[in-house]
Amino acid sequence: LSTALDLLDARPDERLLDIGTGTAELLRSLSQRPVRPEETVGVDPCRNMLRQAAPLPESWDLLRASGEDLPFPDQSFDLVTASYLLHVLDRETRGRVIAEAARVLKPGGRLLTITIAPPLSAPVRLLTAPLRWAAGRWPARFIGLQPLDPAAEIERGGFREVGRRRDFLGYPALCLLAVSSG
C-alpha cells in the first residue's frame, strides 16, 4: 500500500475518509507513516469486517455505513480513499459511491482508488482471460477478480485525474489519484 499512500501524500492537517475500509488495512498502513492525518474515519457496511480491524490511533474512528449513503455533511473531508472497492461493485453502485465521495470532499479534495489493474501486455491478457471471463460470467462468485480502470467513471463523477501508478499488492493493482473539481 505504500505506493498508493505515497501517491496520496496525506498531511496532518487533512481529514481523511476511507470508504469500504473492511478490516482497515489501508488505515493501518497509513497509521504507521511518520506523516499522517490527525483525523481519519473508515466506513464499511459490514459489522464483522469492522470488528476485525487492526488497532488504530485514538483520534481515528471506524463507523458502520455504506459508501452509497455517507452520514457526513457536504465538503467535510480533504481526502477520500476507496481501496479494492470499486471493482467489486456494479456500474450503478460505483456511480453512487463516486458521487458520495464527490459530495463529502471539499473543493480541490483528493480521491485515491485502488483497483485490480487491467493487464497491459498481450501475454498477460491471454493468461488472465479465463479469470476475467469467469468474473464477467459469474460476478457474484468472481467479481473481485475483474480488473477495472475507473478513470472515466471518476471523471464523469466530477474529478480530474492527477496521477496513477501500477503496483503489485498481492495482485496487479492500479492506484489512481483524482482531484475534485467541485
Side-chain angles (χ1 to χ4, degrees):
L1 294 173
S2 65
T3 298
L5 294 176
D6 288 347
L7 187 61
L8 182 62
D9 192 27
R11 298 182 305 269
D13 62 331
E14 294 178 308
R15 187 168 187 230
L16 181 141
L17 171 65
D18 185 30
I19 300 173
T21 199
T23 60
E25 273 306 302
L26 182 127
L27 296 181
R28 186 191 59 75
S29 293
L30 182 60
S31 74
Q32 296 172 357
R33 296 175 78 91
V35 177
R36 63 180 193 234
E38 291 291 324
E39 188 178 351
T40 297
V41 179
V43 297
D44 199 280
C46 182
R47 181 178 289 122
N48 288 333
M49 295 296 275
L50 294 171
R51 285 183 184 149
Q52 296 175 43
L56 297 172
E58 193 172 299
S59 62
W60 292 18
D61 290 318
L62 295 175
L63 302 173
R64 187 168 176 232
S66 168
E68 299 170 64
D69 186 24
L70 295 169
F72 306 106
D74 295 356
Q75 301 181 1
S76 54
F77 291 92
D78 304 287
L79 310 167
V80 171
T81 58
S83 176
Y84 292 109
L85 173 66
L86 296 181
H87 66 278
V88 300
L89 304 174
D90 62 61
R91 183 179 305 273
E92 184 180 315
T93 305
R94 265 196 313 272
R96 288 193 303 264
V97 169
I98 292 167
E100 277 293 274
R103 182 185 67 76
V104 300
L105 271 172
K106 295 176 182 175
R110 301 186 308 280
L111 170 66
L112 173 75
T113 64
I114 304 171
T115 57
I116 301 291
L120 293 177
S121 70
V124 174
R125 279 194 302 275
L126 185 61
L127 284 171
T128 60
L131 292 174
R132 289 183 284 117
W133 177 82
R137 178 81 165 101
W138 299 291
R141 179 175 270 174
F142 297 108
I143 193 69
L145 301 174
Q146 184 66 47
L148 175 70
D149 181 342
E153 291 174 80
I154 287 171
E155 184 176 311
R156 281 192 300 274
F159 292 91
R160 177 178 49 85
E161 182 180 337
V162 293
R164 67 171 49 217
R165 294 193 186 145
R166 293 175 71 93
D167 201 356
F168 190 81
L169 305 171
Y171 28 80
L174 174 62
C175 307
L176 188 141
L177 183 68
V179 173
S180 169
S181 56

